[in-house]
Amino acid sequence: MQVSLRPDASPSARRVLSIAILAAAAAFSSVLPTVSAAEVPAQSMKQVPGYYAMALGDFQVTALYDGAISLTTALLKGVSDSDTQAMLADMFVPLTKDGVQTAVNGYLINTGKDLILVDAGAAACFGPTLGGLGDNLKSAGYEATQVTKVFVTHLHGDHACGMTADGKRVFPNATVYVSKDEAGYWLNKETAAKAPKEAQPFFQAAQQAVAPYEQAGKLKQFAPGDTLAEGVASVPLVGHTPGHEGYMFSSKGQQLLVWGDIVHSHAVQFARPDVSIDFDTDQKQAIATRKELLARAAKEKFWIAGAHLPFPGIGHVAEQKDGYRWIPSEYSPLVKGE
Ligand SMILES: [Zn+2]
């Protein structure tokens, strides 16, 4: 039906037409099904799978979400609680009675020759909010059996527990790489025996995670700074633990450093790199390493992937007036060779 009026139609003719249109609309709407509130579906309460992929030259990097855990602000050292709260508020980071949500991320790098996992998540070592890395590896299109190398930044449970389940290797075809200094500390029975009681679970978790790989001859200890594969070099970043190591991936002029536990609180420690965390084995050295690395990352502009930065934890570091700031990566399509 086409309804039109000549441009010179009288006002009354226009009024008659608009009434007719309203009447037709009302009649039409009366035949439409009515939508009641009961037919609105329930909220799905489903989140997207916890993986995010990016291209790095010829490599593909996939961030894998293990989960998140709340950390109390009392763990941060060298900063007043009021300053911490102000910095969290500035960054819109919620502070609940349990503390601040802190992500645990692992990174899977497909170099075309190797499928390398950096850090394996917490499995069941820190409760039910963590341990999702394995499922997210599958969601990302891979199988645990396809992983050829596991690099651990350090042997804390939130990075190492996920390598082993019920005493068996989760990645049966992978060789586990740990720096000599890290293995020499956590896997040394004498050091463990001398450690305070509250540190004992950390030693046990490290030893249990590594044991089945060691038994299978699949544990490789490397010297800090060694090149571990084509385009992959270890970068000593000690302080958080005695052999804490980052891994620099380089392809076609692009670089990404998986830096482990350099920053636990993005709202506080970029602006104030002199703030350490209770878990740092050597607080002073951890601060010095963080300051040096943030300066280098801001100058050289390489990508960063951080185990405890908000997922996917990939982005850049830039200088600001009195410290640094974190610039997260933007969601992007995968384009090979860029
Ligand atoms: Zn950690």
Side-chain angles (χ1 to χ4, degrees), residues 77-330:
K77 303 290 171 198
V79 61
S80 70
D81 218 40
S82 59
D83 280 0
T84 298
Q85 285 180 24
M87 284 187 273
L88 292 171
D90 273 356
M91 295 288 284
F92 293 86
V93 175
L95 175 60
T96 69
K97 63 174 174 44
D98 298 323
V100 177
Q101 173 178 291
T102 307
V104 175
N105 312 320
Y107 295 92
L108 189 70
I109 296 90
N110 188 339
T111 68
K113 290 184 179 154
D114 269 309
L115 188 61
I116 300 168
L117 177 65
V118 184
D119 290 340
C125 283
F126 291 91
T129 61
L130 297 176
L133 186 140
D135 286 346
N136 287 323
L137 183 141
K138 278 194 168 186
S139 297
Y142 294 101
E143 295 294 333
T145 50
Q146 295 173 319
V147 175
T148 58
K149 293 182 166 84
V150 177
F151 296 165
V152 281
T153 57
H154 60 301
L155 284 172
H156 277 165
D158 53 322
H159 302 257
C161 283
M163 295 194 296
T164 300
D166 302 322
K168 293 201 171 66
R169 290 175 284 159
V170 169
F171 305 102
N173 298 315
T175 300
V176 169
Y177 287 68
V178 186
S179 94
K180 275 182 182 149
D181 294 348
E182 190 69 0
Y185 183 75
W186 297 105
L187 307 182
N188 185 312
K189 300 271 190 281
E190 282 167 33
T191 310
K194 278 190 238 156
K197 201 170 162 236
E198 63 270 20
Q200 292 299 328
F202 289 91
F203 283 90
Q204 283 164 11
Q207 290 170 9
Q208 282 169 11
V210 164
Y213 295 90
E214 199 169 17
Q215 282 157 18
K218 294 272 201 160
L219 176 67
K220 191 170 163 58
Q221 298 186 24
F222 60 86
D226 270 2
T227 295
L228 303 176
E230 201 180 320
V232 192
S234 64
V235 181
L237 301 172
V238 297
H240 180 61
T241 58
H244 186 273
E245 204 79 11
Y247 299 96
M248 182 70 91
F249 292 85
S250 309
S251 177
K252 293 212 165 152
Q254 292 211 19
Q255 288 193 303
L256 174 138
L257 176 69
V258 185
W259 79 8
D261 282 18
I262 291 297
V263 169
H264 289 80
S265 171
H266 71 285
V268 175
Q269 290 175 298
F270 282 103
R272 291 273 311 271
D274 59 326
V275 175
S276 58
I277 194 155
D278 196 56
F279 315 129
D280 292 335
T281 311
D282 181 340
Q283 308 270 325
K284 218 171 138 191
Q285 183 59 55
I287 291 167
T289 296
R290 181 167 38 257
K291 283 181 167 173
E292 195 183 316
L293 182 57
L294 289 176
R296 187 182 159 203
K299 188 164 171 252
E300 296 182 23
K301 302 183 193 300
F302 45 76
W303 286 100
I304 295 294
H308 300 304
L309 295 173
F311 185 78
I314 294 174
H316 287 99
V317 177
E319 261 186 281
Q320 65 175 20
K321 199 163 144 266
D322 296 313
Y324 300 88
R325 63 197 163 96
W326 172 242
I327 298 150
S329 162
E330 182 181 347

